[in-house]
Amino acid sequence: MAEEKDPESTEAIVAELNKKIKEAFEVFDHESNNTVDVREIGTIIRSLGCSPTEGELHDFIAEVEEEEPTGYIRLEKFIPVMTRVLLEKRYRPIAEDVLLRAFEVLDPTKRGFLTKDELVKYMTEEGQRALFLASLFPKRKWKKCCLLQLIPNQTPLITETT
């Protein structure tokens, strides 16, 4: 028999999530009027531990925007959608071992970092699909590819050398 969740504990979880979401939202509510610039939504979502793709972010914004877009998102529309995203564990970051394998493809000499020039080259000349395949099938021989497309907010592994 499936175990039922305690409604009180579920309510407590939702209340805690709502509090965290509101706190993250308020950081960008510069006018203190329960609205944020739509351009800040991605940053807010990422601050809550999610890593949506650009397409997912676009869909999220479409869901929380007013029917007649104003360029601002209201807290009361943001909270329920973001709560659902967190409860459903959507937009999860890529696993650390997959990211490590991806960087190993880009760093065959095992220096432990990428230079700024290398990073720019990979991000502008290579494609995301090749990156994904390289990280999933590390034993195959792949050309260096844009592995960094899969690595949101992971710049500590990338350093600039002088």
Side-chain angles (χ1 to χ4, degrees), residues 2 5 10 14 17 20 25 27 47 51 67 78 85 114 119 122 128 131 133 139-141 146 155:
K5 289 187 177 180
T10 302
V14 169
L17 286 176
K20 287 180 180 181
F25 191 94
V27 169
S47 77
S51 299
E67 283 188 36
F78 183 79
V85 163
L114 298 174
L119 177 61
Y122 298 142
Q128 183 174 0
L131 157 68
L133 289 172
K139 293 186 182 195
R140 265 185 93 170
K141 295 286 184 192
C146 187
T155 52

Side-chain angles (χ1 to χ4, degrees), residues 14-153:
V14 169
E16 185 63 29
L17 286 176
N18 287 343
K19 180 181 173 193
K20 287 180 180 181
I21 293 166
K22 185 174 188 219
E23 288 171 355
F25 191 94
E26 287 174 343
V27 169
F28 296 93
D29 183 6
H30 304 296
E31 304 294 324
S32 298
N33 61 359
N34 290 329
T35 64
V36 296
D37 188 305
V38 70
R39 295 171 293 189
E40 303 288 3
I41 293 299
T43 304
I44 296 168
I45 292 172
R46 288 179 189 94
S47 77
L48 292 164
C50 296
S51 299
T53 64
E54 287 301 313
E56 290 168 333
L57 183 57
H58 177 72
D59 293 345
F60 182 95
I61 290 170
E63 191 172 347
V64 297
E65 257 183 329
E66 300 296 323
E67 283 188 36
E68 289 292 322
T70 62
Y72 291 90
I73 303 298
R74 291 189 352 249
L75 178 63
E76 60 268 17
K77 289 195 96 172
F78 183 79
I79 285 181
V81 177
M82 192 66 221
T83 301
R84 191 170 63 247
V85 163
L86 292 173
L87 288 172
E88 294 171 0
K89 297 182 172 124
R90 287 192 282 168
Y91 314 148
R92 300 297 2 145
I94 293 170
E96 198 172 309
D97 64 320
V98 173
L99 294 176
L100 183 58
R101 286 192 313 237
F103 266 103
E104 288 170 351
V105 170
L106 289 180
D107 183 24
T109 60
K110 309 248 186 280
R111 295 176 300 174
F113 65 92
L114 298 174
T115 66
K116 179 181 176 184
D117 291 340
E118 288 170 328
L119 177 61
V120 168
K121 178 182 181 283
Y122 298 142
M123 292 187 72
T124 58
E125 295 179 11
E126 308 291 342
Q128 183 174 0
R129 271 175 277 171
L131 157 68
F132 186 66
L133 289 172
S135 65
L136 289 179
F137 304 103
K139 293 186 182 195
R140 265 185 93 170
K141 295 286 184 192
W142 299 97
K143 290 175 79 175
K144 287 184 180 178
C145 56
C146 187
L147 298 174
L148 304 169
Q149 291 287 328
L150 292 177
I151 308 170
N153 304 321

